[in-house]
Amino acid sequence: MKTIKSMMEHLYWANGHVLEALEESKTKDKDLLKLVRHVAVAERVWLSRLQRKGSAQYSLWDETDDLSAIWTMFQENTEQYRIYIEELEESELDKMIDYTNQSGVPFQTSVRDILLQVLLHGQYHRGQINRALRMESAAPSQVDYITFARL
């Protein structure tokens, strides 16, 4: 549990750093903003599944130019994940969650694997976002776990 909690704290921290880098870059790249919004919405989708709520109302790939709305989504996600993780017992990590994906296909996945998906999915896309920032000659954000761990 300690590792998952630490990795989740890194996720919140890294999301904030990427958003700051996007703000500083003043990017208008719609694909880049769509990608960062995708990360926020995907976090919300997985949290809904963990809470045994539906996720069909979420659209993963909508376009946006509103970075402040994305900030708000990430802040809400952080608050809700912190509550969820704080109440989660280690014995519940292997509990299976039944859910339907965004295409309506049913699946069953453990809490542990869902949390790992959230963590790894975000890190993958933050790397893509940093690459896109570099291509725009903007400063990328240092979001490696070790940077967070050294704080």
Side-chain angles (χ1 to χ4, degrees):
M1 236 4 241
K2 183 179 175 184
T3 300
I4 287 177
K5 284 182 177 182
S6 180
M7 291 176 73
M8 290 300 293
E9 289 299 321
H10 168 259
L11 175 133
Y12 315 141
W13 172 86
N15 285 343
H17 279 272
V18 163
L19 287 168
E20 288 170 2
L22 286 166
E23 275 186 344
E24 288 174 22
S25 77
K26 298 184 182 356
T27 187
K28 299 295 180 206
D29 183 327
K30 289 199 182 288
D31 289 333
L32 186 51
L33 294 172
K34 182 189 221 180
L35 182 59
V36 73
R37 181 192 173 280
H38 166 79
V39 175
V41 174
E43 285 180 10
R44 189 164 287 181
V45 164
W46 285 111
L47 182 62
S48 292
R49 293 171 182 167
L50 287 166
Q51 294 170 330
R52 301 184 188 275
K53 298 176 184 174
S55 63
Q57 71 273 27
Y58 299 114
S59 179
L60 288 166
W61 290 106
D62 284 352
E63 288 189 8
T64 187
D65 59 0
D66 187 355
L67 200 54
S68 66
I70 297 170
W71 267 102
T72 299
M73 267 194 276
F74 276 122
Q75 289 168 337
E76 290 170 357
N77 290 349
T78 296
E79 288 173 26
Q80 292 302 308
Y81 270 103
R82 280 196 169 125
I83 291 167
Y84 178 82
I85 295 293
E86 202 53 44
E87 294 174 358
L88 186 65
E89 299 289 331
E90 186 153 2
S91 62
E92 296 173 291
L93 287 173
D94 293 318
K95 189 180 235 179
M96 299 304 284
I97 302 288
D98 293 307
Y99 62 93
T100 307
N101 73 4
Q102 299 311 96
S103 300
V105 178
F107 286 95
Q108 189 179 65
T109 307
S110 72
V111 169
R112 180 187 318 273
D113 286 342
I114 289 172
L115 290 173
L116 289 172
Q117 167 61 23
V118 171
L119 292 161
L120 296 171
H121 176 261
Q123 191 66 2
Y124 171 75
H125 286 309
R126 284 188 297 274
Q128 290 179 314
I129 292 163
N130 269 336
R131 184 172 188 275
L133 286 170
R134 280 187 195 98
M135 291 175 68
E136 289 187 5
S137 299
S141 178
Q142 176 52 265
V143 292
D144 285 346
Y145 180 83
I146 196 66
T147 303
F148 166 78
R150 290 175 180 152
L151 297 175

